[in-house]
Structure formats: structure tokens, C-alpha cells
Amino acid sequence: MAFELHEIRKTSINARPYCGPAALMAFSGKDFEEVRALINKVRGREHNKPVRGLSNHHLRGVIGKLGYSTDTMIPAHRFTVHDFAETVKPDEFWFVIAGHHYVVMCEGLVADNRIRFGCEVAKHPWRRRIVKEAIRVIHPEESLARFAA
């Protein structure tokens, strides 16, 4: 039940994607055009419409289309991205909303549209930002185990 942090590749026009699509690329391993089509499908729009912003609702919708479910955590305390990373298990995949920016955490690494390959959280430029919300991806096998118990 291990997740993997995938490289965030540039778009077909060699541009850096916005943070929401980049986070989904890091999670799914799909290229920008595939992620854009999924986001637009969830939004009920044409597949090639530009995607600049992404709501948490649409993010969860795309994760659901990929066959996963999610848990949402809104911190009761003021956690920085660095503090939050210390509480995350290494085999979990998290979408973390810090300010109005998405970063992803997996395998002890953090990635976003600026750090495409992932880096240690202590070296990430957003490490001191406050976490507004965190969305944990639940592996389908974990979901089945919950219902079987």
C-alpha cells in the first residue's frame, strides 16, 4: 500500500504548471494535459480549458476519479508545513494547503510546482508557512480493510 512521489514535468509548452495541477501530477504520475483534462471533467468543462486555480472540492473530485478516497484534517493548532511533516507517516500521501498554495508530502519529501522532484521539508521554501488544511489520500486497499473490520 505504498504511495510514490512522481516527478512534476513541465507542460507541453515548456511552462511550469500552477500548484494544484502540479500536486496532482506528483500524486498520479500523469502529464499536465491528462491532469488538466481530469480537472475539467470534474468541473464539467471542455478537456482543454486552461486550469489556473483549483479548489479543494475539485482536488478531491480528481482524486476520486483516480480511484482513491480522502480524509481531511483542519489543524486545531497553528502548524507550519515543517511541523506538520513531522507528524506524517512516511507511507502516507498528503496534499497540504499552506496559504493558497498546494504542496504534497510523501516518503518524507515535499514537492510543489517549484520543487518538482521533491526535497526534504527542512529545505523547502514553504516550510514555515501555516497549514490551513491537509488532505490525506486513502489507498483503496486501506478503504477495503476499514469496511472489513
Side-chain angles (χ1 to χ4, degrees):
M1 286 197 314
F3 289 104
E4 182 180 347
L5 188 64
H6 298 278
E7 176 190 350
I8 301 167
R9 296 177 302 280
K10 291 188 175 186
T11 67
S12 60
I13 58 169
N14 207 28
R16 185 173 64 192
Y18 285 85
C19 63
L24 286 165
M25 291 165 69
F27 171 67
S28 67
K30 296 184 179 302
D31 64 26
F32 175 74
E33 285 71 22
E34 291 175 289
V35 167
R36 180 181 61 190
L38 279 168
I39 293 168
N40 283 325
K41 186 173 187 174
V42 167
R43 290 178 171 173
R45 296 175 18 174
E46 294 177 30
H47 70 87
N48 61 349
K49 288 274 191 187
V51 174
R52 292 186 180 89
L54 186 65
S55 70
N56 296 346
H57 171 75
H58 291 135
L59 177 81
R60 285 187 206 88
V62 171
I63 293 168
K65 290 265 185 219
L66 293 169
Y68 297 88
S69 56
T70 60
D71 272 343
T72 301
M73 193 215 47
I74 299 173
H77 308 65
R78 289 177 54 96
F79 276 110
T80 63
V81 170
H82 185 270
D83 295 338
F84 182 76
E86 292 178 353
T87 69
V88 171
K89 295 177 186 169
D91 62 341
E92 295 178 333
F93 199 103
W94 287 85
F95 289 85
V96 178
I97 300 90
H100 295 285
H101 185 67
Y102 287 102
V103 297
V104 292
M105 291 183 185
C106 182
E107 302 172 323
L109 300 174
V110 181
D112 64 2
N113 59 332
R114 292 177 179 88
I115 310 292
R116 299 183 353 229
F117 301 103
C119 70
E120 295 174 16
V121 70
K123 297 177 182 174
H124 196 277
W126 284 74
R127 68 187 172 276
R128 292 188 187 104
R129 300 291 174 125
I130 301 298
V131 174
K132 289 172 63 176
E133 188 173 340
I135 300 168
R136 183 174 72 97
V137 179
I138 300 170
H139 199 282
E141 292 175 19
E142 183 183 343
S143 294
L144 291 173
R146 282 183 177 184
F147 290 116

